[in-house]
């Protein structure tokens, strides 16, 4: 056994004594990660099998139903005018359309929204601003409060960073001629997809979720979820499912499963797209991912026991399990990365021939992890007629980002499993600066002086990410000296790159945020 320079000799001997328990843990994590990798292959198969099945309305409404459009916003001064304007030009009979701006703002941006609401009301639009003085229930609370005065049979919901197309209702509303249809979800497209490597990676991640996952599940008879925005609900389905609840951070997923448990059907329309802004900087992305990850596990804790004992087909139960628990992979990946170091020094192996075991484990991880993810994302891009070769070139970026945020999301999983409550933190919106329509704002954004701070995002997580990256670099250097572990070198480099990219980029954004806050504070006396 090599003598590890970073470990005391006694600790190295302890690791050797723990060789078999560590091997068991290593193989268990590999199996768990592999199970979700195999499930990705299954989703790609279902997608290929059902993608040409196009659900159509059974017939068309002779008289269009009343629709309420809800726009939940919170301190969205950069984008609130844009979403209000987009909602007010949706083509639908004016006497059958109601628009609610559900504004919980505390920074004065409700005044911007109120002016825009007054502008459109003067032009005959049925629009109202409902401003709450507290954020009880956060977004779920705002949506529930809006239901008290909603007049629509159908409820359309758009987050502040979305720009619904004018024909959105015309392309979705007639599906509700099916009396058991509770919700229609449309596909997200991306206003700032090509702005940076980060936004390109996020776009492909989301394409995989919408294009492959939603299509595969919905067309094969499994359940899908409402994604919180760009969807249309039947008001009766919301009420029968128990309404909006705020005991999880993903109120959309929670309501979706409760509604389907109540017998309502859902429909995904991938050809109807609704453009939105992707988080243009890493800390906004991490904050969003933390909320989505934690909320999904919270929903799994809340509803999986009920769902697994419900009188529904087994395929629904299996897909729901994989769907709601899929964020646990981030925890497994983090633990797996932590085992790389002892793997190098104690030669973890289920059989005595270390080289053969190392090759077997390395190739297994490659096949069930990297190849399944590559297949998954290529399928989503081909379906949109995007270049397969360009997607392949971006696979290392996707893997690095996915691994780099694993620690952030693993902490979210642990918080959810431990029952640790945290507030709903909205993802910062950059508006036209993220879209690239205002070049002066884009230059300001690229100079990192327009960073929106996220106080809830703890910097200690950033230092842990950097630490993980440095640890894996040490593992990579050590693996080069061992013939039994050299096969793991590509994975070690990939993991180290991901953690260091996310960690150092996040640290840079933290530093710029502090600089911006300091500059703003010093400017106050000068303007007083």
């Amino acid at each position: 056994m090599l003598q590890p320079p970073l470990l005391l000799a006694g600790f190295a001997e302890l690791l050797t004594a723990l060789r078999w328990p560590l091997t068991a843990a290593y193989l268990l994590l590999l199996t768990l990660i592999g199970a979700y990798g195999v499930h990705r292959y299954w989703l790609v198969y279902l997608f290929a099998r059902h993608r040409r099945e196009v659900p159509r309305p059974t017939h068309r409404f002779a008289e269009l139903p009343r629709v309420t459009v809800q726009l939940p916003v919170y301190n969205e001064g950069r984008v609130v005018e844009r979403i209000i304007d987009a909602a007010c030009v949706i083509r639908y009979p004016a006497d059958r359309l109601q628009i609610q701006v559900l504004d919980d703002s505390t920074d004065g941006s409700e005044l911007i929204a109120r002016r825009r609401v007054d502008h459109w009301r003067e032009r005959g639009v049925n629009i109202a601003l409902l401003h709450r003085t507290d954020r009880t229930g956060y977004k779920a609370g705002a949506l529930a409060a809006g239901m008290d005065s909603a007049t629509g049979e159908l409820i359309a919901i758009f987050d502040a960073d979305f720009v619904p197309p004018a024909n959105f209702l015309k392309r979705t509303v007639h599906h509700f001629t099916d009396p058991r249809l509770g919700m229609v979800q449309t596909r997200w497209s991306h206003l700032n997809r090509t702005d940076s490597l980060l936004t390109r990676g996020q776009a492909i991640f989301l394409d995989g979720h919408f294009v492959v996952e939603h299509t595969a599940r919905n067309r094969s008879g499994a359940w899908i979820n409402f994604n919180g925005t760009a969807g249309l609900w039947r008001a009766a389905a919301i009420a029968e499912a128990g309404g909006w609840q705020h005991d999880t951070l993903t109120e959309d997923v929670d309501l979706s499963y409760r509604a389907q448990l109540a017998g309502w059907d859902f429909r995904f329309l991938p050809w109807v797209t609704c453009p939105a802004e992707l988080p243009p900087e890493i800390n906004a992305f991490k904050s969003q991912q933390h909320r989505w990850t934690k909320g999904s596990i919270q929903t799994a804790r809340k509803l999986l026991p009920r769902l697994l004992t419900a009188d529904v087909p087994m395929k629904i139960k299996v897909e729901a399990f994989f769907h709601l628990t899929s964020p646990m992979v981030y925890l497994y990946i983090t633990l797996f990365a932590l085992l790389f170091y002892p793997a190098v020094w104690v030669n973890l192996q289920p059989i005595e021939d270390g080289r053969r075991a190392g090759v077997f484990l390395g190739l297994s991880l490659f096949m069930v992890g990297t190849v399944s993810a590559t297949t998954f994302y290529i399928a989503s891009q081909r379906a949109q007629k995007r270049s397969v070769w360009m997607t392949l070139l971006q696979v290392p970026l996707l893997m690095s980002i996915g691994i780099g945020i694993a620690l952030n999301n693993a902490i979210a999983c642990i918080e959810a499993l431990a029952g640790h409550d945290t507030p709903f933190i909205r993802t910062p919106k950059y508006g036209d600066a993220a879209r690239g329509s205002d070049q002066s704002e884009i230059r300001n954004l690229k100079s990192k002086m327009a960073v929106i701070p996220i106080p809830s995002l703890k910097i200690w997580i950033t230092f842990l990410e950097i630490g993980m990256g440095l640890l894996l670099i040490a593992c990579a250097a050590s693996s080069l000296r061992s013939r039994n572990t050299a096969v793991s070198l590509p994975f070690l480099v990939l993991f180290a790159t991901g953690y260091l990219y996310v960690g150092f980029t996040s640290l840079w954004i933290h530093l710029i945020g502090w600089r911006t806050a300091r500059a703003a504070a010093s400017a106050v006396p000068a303007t007083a």
Side-chain angles (χ1 to χ4, degrees), residues 67-72 90 139 143 154-159 162 164-165 168-169 172-173 176 182-188 210 214 224-234 238 244 252 256 266-269 272-274:
V67 176
T68 294
V69 175
Q70 293 185 327
L71 311 176
I90 290 177
K139 179 181 175 182
L143 293 170
L154 304 178
I155 310 293
I157 301 171
F158 301 101
D159 282 349
F162 279 69
F168 181 87
L169 292 179
T172 56
V173 71
F176 286 88
M183 192 278 298
V184 163
Q185 175 67 55
T186 65
R187 179 166 62 87
W188 298 2
F210 280 94
H214 267 354
I224 62 170
N225 64 289
F226 172 54
N227 291 97
T229 178
L232 189 60
W233 277 88
R234 191 185 298 272
I238 296 176
W244 294 103
D252 44 9
S256 297
F266 284 13
R267 189 165 296 172
F268 174 56
L269 306 180
V272 182
T273 60
C274 193

Side-chain angles (χ1 to χ4, degrees), residues 150-210:
T151 59
E153 304 162 51
L154 304 178
I155 310 293
I157 301 171
F158 301 101
D159 282 349
D161 52 333
F162 279 69
V163 185
N167 63 354
F168 181 87
L169 292 179
K170 292 288 189 180
R171 300 185 70 186
T172 56
V173 71
H174 293 287
H175 287 270
F176 286 88
T177 53
D178 178 351
R180 291 309 303 168
L181 185 64
M183 192 278 298
V184 163
Q185 175 67 55
T186 65
R187 179 166 62 87
W188 298 2
S189 57
H190 315 293
L191 293 168
N192 57 332
R193 182 186 191 107
T194 60
D195 276 8
S196 67
L197 290 177
L198 178 62
T199 56
R200 288 176 186 272
Q202 291 178 71
I204 296 176
F205 286 142
L206 288 170
D207 288 346
H209 170 66
F210 280 94

Side-chain angles (χ1 to χ4, degrees), residues 15 18 26 33 80 94 104 112 115-116 207 217 222 234 270 275 313 327 333 335 376 383 435 466 483 492 522 525-526:
L15 286 180
L18 293 176
Y26 190 90
I33 295 170
V80 68
D104 287 357
I112 301 174
R115 284 196 298 268
R116 208 62 192 159
D207 288 346
R217 290 192 176 110
R234 191 185 298 272
I333 287 174
L335 295 174
F376 182 79
R435 286 199 318 183
I466 295 172
R483 65 176 187 175
L492 292 169
S522 63

Side-chain angles (χ1 to χ4, degrees), residues 183-389:
M183 192 278 298
V184 163
Q185 175 67 55
T186 65
R187 179 166 62 87
W188 298 2
S189 57
H190 315 293
L191 293 168
N192 57 332
R193 182 186 191 107
T194 60
D195 276 8
S196 67
L197 290 177
L198 178 62
T199 56
R200 288 176 186 272
Q202 291 178 71
I204 296 176
F205 286 142
L206 288 170
D207 288 346
H209 170 66
F210 280 94
V211 176
V212 177
E213 284 190 59
H214 267 354
T215 301
R217 290 192 176 110
N218 195 221
R219 302 294 184 271
S220 66
W223 289 355
I224 62 170
N225 64 289
F226 172 54
N227 291 97
T229 178
L232 189 60
W233 277 88
R234 191 185 298 272
I238 296 176
E240 189 176 331
W244 294 103
Q245 298 174 8
H246 57 269
D247 52 350
T248 74
L249 292 179
T250 47
E251 73 293 323
D252 44 9
V253 180
D254 173 31
L255 178 61
S256 297
Y257 274 90
R258 285 188 282 114
Q260 289 169 111
L261 280 166
W264 291 96
D265 296 329
F266 284 13
R267 189 165 296 172
F268 174 56
L269 306 180
W271 56 88
V272 182
T273 60
C274 193
E277 169 191 328
L278 294 163
E281 53 93 355
I282 192 69
N283 282 350
F285 176 54
K286 286 169 64 177
S287 176
Q288 182 188 71
Q289 287 293 308
H290 186 278
R291 188 179 76 246
W292 288 356
T293 297
K294 184 171 182 177
S296 183
I297 300 303
Q298 288 175 325
T299 303
R301 287 189 60 192
K302 176 181 177 179
L303 295 179
L304 263 184
R306 175 180 165 192
L307 193 154
L308 294 176
T309 57
D311 185 18
V312 296
M314 182 57 66
K315 68 178 180 181
I316 290 176
K317 297 180 180 182
V318 171
E319 277 304 319
F321 175 84
F322 274 101
H323 179 201
L324 293 177
T325 64
S326 60
M328 289 296 294
V329 172
Y330 291 113
L331 180 58
Y332 304 149
I333 287 174
T334 301
L335 295 174
F336 191 78
L338 289 172
L339 282 179
F340 274 140
Y341 194 85
V344 169
W345 293 110
V346 305
N347 191 24
L348 300 183
Q349 55 186 34
I351 55 178
E352 290 302 317
D353 186 347
R355 294 186 64 185
R356 189 182 308 166
V359 170
F360 171 76
L361 292 178
L363 290 179
S364 296
L365 176 60
F366 178 76
M367 291 302 295
V368 301
T370 306
V371 176
S372 71
T374 302
T375 304
F376 182 79
Y377 293 120
I378 284 177
S380 73
Q381 299 307 294
R382 283 191 63 191
Q384 299 174 82
K385 303 187 185 307
R386 296 184 182 275
S387 169
V388 172
W389 292 111

